[in-house]
Amino acid sequence: MPVHPDEEHAEGGITEKVAKNPSSNTASTASDHPTHADDMSAGKSDNKAQAKDFHATPGPAIPQTMGDAEKPASREELKARAAELNNPFVGPLGAHLNLTMCGILALILSKSTSDPTSTLAARELHEALYLLQHRGQDACGIATCAPGGRIFQCKGNGMAAKVFHDGSRVADLPGFMGLGHLRYPTAGSSANAEAQPFYVNSPYGICFAHNGNLINAPALKEFLDFTAHRHINTHSDSELMLNIFANELNETKKARVNEEDLFASLERFGVIGFRDSYGIRPLVLGSRRSADGEGLDYMMASESVALDQLGYSSIRDIKPGEAVIIKKGSEPVFRQVHPQLAYAPDIFEYVYFARPDTVIDGISVDQSRQKMGYKLAETIRKTLGEAAVKEIDAVIPIPETSNTSAHSVAEHLDKKYVQGFVKNRYVFRTFIMPGQEARQQSVRRKLNPMKDKFQGKVVLLVDDSIVRGTTSREIVNMAREAGAKKVIFASCSPPITNAHIYGIDLASPRELVAHERDRFDIAAHIGADAVIYQTLPDLKASCAELSPRDPATQEFEVGVFCGSYVTPVDDGYFERLDRIRGAAKKLKTEERAKDAVLNGVASERDIRMAVHGVDVDQTGQLIPADEDGEGGGAAKKVRVNGTLKGVMATDEDTVPIRDQMDISLHNFGDYPDR
């Protein structure tokens, strides 16, 4: 982005004014976003400033939906409401986000790398996508910026190998800098156009990738529509965030903004990374000597493993509320753009989501899982008693995230550690059979028990967590079918009783197996002889004891286990999330029914869903659209395959469509046969 070096910082920016009013009700996301323009001159003193490409990141934002209004809210009204709530606006307008557990990447190569046809940036980002593939299998994308300011992109639904045709499409993405994104399954649409990065051409041209769900999306959408006059073309909250940011930059009224404008709006030109002010999501930065030995390349990623594998060193965490800007050919500039409100990483990163060879905020994921195993072993001993522990013949992990913890359990209990399940690494998702039956079949496709490890034995199965209980029940059934005499099931995490509001779409609370059940009820539900959970204090201690900060004061986001979230959320958000989740669930159920028909495995019910569409009845059950559910479901129905009807048909939560072209920027991913 061309920037005049002598232009003054724009006074009156929302960040500058409202960041002085910090509140504990703020959440934001770690994001990276590029912006560009052609090389051109502008100036006051030296009359010339070279064009620079930049990534911008949304900053912390206002935490709660700000209430209803009889007319569209202006910027001043939105700011006044935030002040009344003691909510800080940070970044463009103060979009309050919940963070999505996805994977993000940003790369800027050394100034000496100037070949306009070089695809080195895209090749590195593509390689990094595979290293972070565990963070998102729903969709992925890469956007690059070439000399001269042109942006190229390829994105779509599916994993990296599918979207990029095993790497052949990287040749279509020249440039010296770029973004990568991996999307984990979340509530909302899975249309092709909602894969990231996103692009908007004004002002300057911005390409944007971020992780999050906006809590106050309706208010922001209202502002963009009636006040900013910006069109939103998808159901993605990320597009909202991009347009809020773009609109704030536009408020400077400058032909070219400088770094202070960007720090105020979010941050500068080049590559920008920003972390939420609570430190919920991870973001790391590393550097590497360029290929020709002149200058340094820089990369940011969700996990340190991506940097390690690609030869980057001097890795450091971006701190909560901190932003980093890297101008092409320059060293990183760090700035605290929002006060650090906490240092509370999402503990689910350590339990399940991150790779074991990753270090997050100075805490080794592998070592934290070892400690989880030791503490879980003590809980098992106290719960079962010595006599029952002596009966255990083998400790068996549910591969792969529980492998480390299960080994620690076995070591602490002085029991044999046995790899009893073989995992098929080439099966990721099931599309053929809808609903619960599909999940059960998916488990058997992924895992196969070795009968000699179970036959006539008392086995202790260790898993990272128990969510709906569907997978756990199927695993217990497989163990019994393999001849296990007794099956004890242990979870490395406490009972999951609440929604995960920071992005991972676990389930609605009523779908969670621990919802209104104790461990004895859960054992009966999944068919185990006993179920034992890690305690929340032990889980937190497993990670805190490894923290480079004071372990006694180290915080973590644990709301999924106790309902106490690090960022308080208005109840209306949960209702909206349930509506979005329900619409997406109906769409996926209809798609699976159609796939079942195409593959010749459809039941009569599948056929009716494929032909007539899917509705939800009064009890929340999905039914074919041509049948009434319990309680005369017609009054409650929401039609997926046709006109929206009933209470869930709102302007804010329209039903997502199956696919959609990205009209904002030519996308190679829209041409699957290319």
Side-chain angles (χ1 to χ4, degrees), residues 311-334:
Y312 288 82
S313 58
S314 302
I315 297 171
R316 60 152 289 185
D317 293 287
I318 306 303
K319 306 301 182 187
E322 184 181 47
V324 57
I325 294 179
I326 312 167
K327 191 176 179 180
K328 186 182 179 186
S330 301
E331 294 183 357
V333 177
F334 298 88

Side-chain angles (χ1 to χ4, degrees), residues 65-67 73 78 81 93 216-224 652:
T65 302
M66 294 181 296
L78 289 175
R81 292 182 200 169
L93 182 62
N216 61 341
L220 295 177
K221 188 174 182 181
E222 179 185 78
F223 169 81
L224 288 170
E652 306 300 341

Side-chain angles (χ1 to χ4, degrees), residues 343-562:
Y343 208 136
D346 188 344
I347 209 162
F348 228 76
E349 291 278 358
Y350 302 98
V351 171
Y352 163 74
F353 211 69
R355 276 178 50 152
D357 47 351
T358 284
V359 177
I360 298 175
D361 294 312
I363 301 172
S364 163
V365 173
D366 183 64
Q367 291 180 33
S368 70
R369 290 175 183 172
Q370 288 179 24
K371 284 184 172 287
M372 290 175 204
Y374 294 138
K375 294 180 186 299
L376 178 58
E378 276 303 304
T379 300
I380 291 170
R381 193 186 301 276
K382 292 175 184 177
T383 303
L384 296 181
E386 290 295 339
V389 169
K390 286 180 181 178
E391 292 182 352
I392 297 173
D393 296 304
V395 177
I396 299 176
I398 310 304
E400 293 175 336
T401 48
S402 64
N403 288 1
T404 301
S405 297
H407 189 275
S408 296
V409 169
E411 181 182 325
H412 199 71
L413 295 179
D414 194 23
K415 296 295 177 181
K416 190 175 181 180
Y417 173 75
V418 176
Q419 291 278 359
F421 290 98
V422 176
K423 184 174 183 179
N424 184 345
R425 301 173 188 274
Y426 305 100
V427 175
F428 290 90
R429 301 182 61 198
T430 301
F431 297 96
I432 301 219
M433 307 173 88
Q436 183 167 307
E437 188 179 0
R439 287 191 289 270
Q440 292 170 341
Q441 183 64 26
S442 178
V443 174
R444 291 183 178 267
R445 288 179 175 178
K446 291 178 183 177
L447 298 176
N448 186 50
M450 292 185 281
K451 292 187 178 180
D452 61 311
K453 311 296 185 183
F454 293 89
Q455 190 67 46
K457 296 177 181 177
V458 176
V459 295
L460 172 61
L461 305 183
V462 179
D463 205 352
D464 53 73
S465 58
I466 306 174
V467 184
R468 289 181 175 89
T470 305
T471 297
S472 302
R473 183 169 59 241
E474 199 63 24
I475 287 171
V476 170
N477 288 340
M478 292 164 66
R480 293 200 184 280
E481 291 168 7
K485 182 168 62 175
K486 184 183 289 188
V487 179
I488 303 167
F489 204 102
S491 169
C492 295
S493 59
I496 297 174
T497 54
N498 297 272
H500 193 295
I501 69 169
Y502 299 107
I504 184 170
D505 191 25
L506 292 176
S508 64
R510 63 180 176 272
E511 294 175 314
L512 298 169
V513 70
H515 180 64
E516 297 183 349
R517 289 189 179 101
D518 60 21
R519 70 180 189 90
F520 301 103
D521 295 330
I522 295 168
H525 181 78
I526 69 172
D529 293 281
V531 167
I532 302 164
Y533 283 100
Q534 183 89 270
T535 68
L536 185 54
D538 280 350
L539 176 60
K540 292 193 288 187
S542 298
C543 301
E545 290 171 3
L546 297 166
S547 175
R549 296 162 292 282
D550 182 4
T553 59
Q554 176 67 63
E555 300 178 69
F556 295 95
E557 162 50 42
V558 294
V560 70
F561 304 116
C562 61

Side-chain angles (χ1 to χ4, degrees), residues 43-63:
K44 291 181 179 178
S45 56
D46 57 10
N47 250 356
K48 207 167 192 177
Q50 289 298 315
K52 304 299 176 188
D53 303 74
F54 97 97
H55 290 169
T57 307
I62 59 173

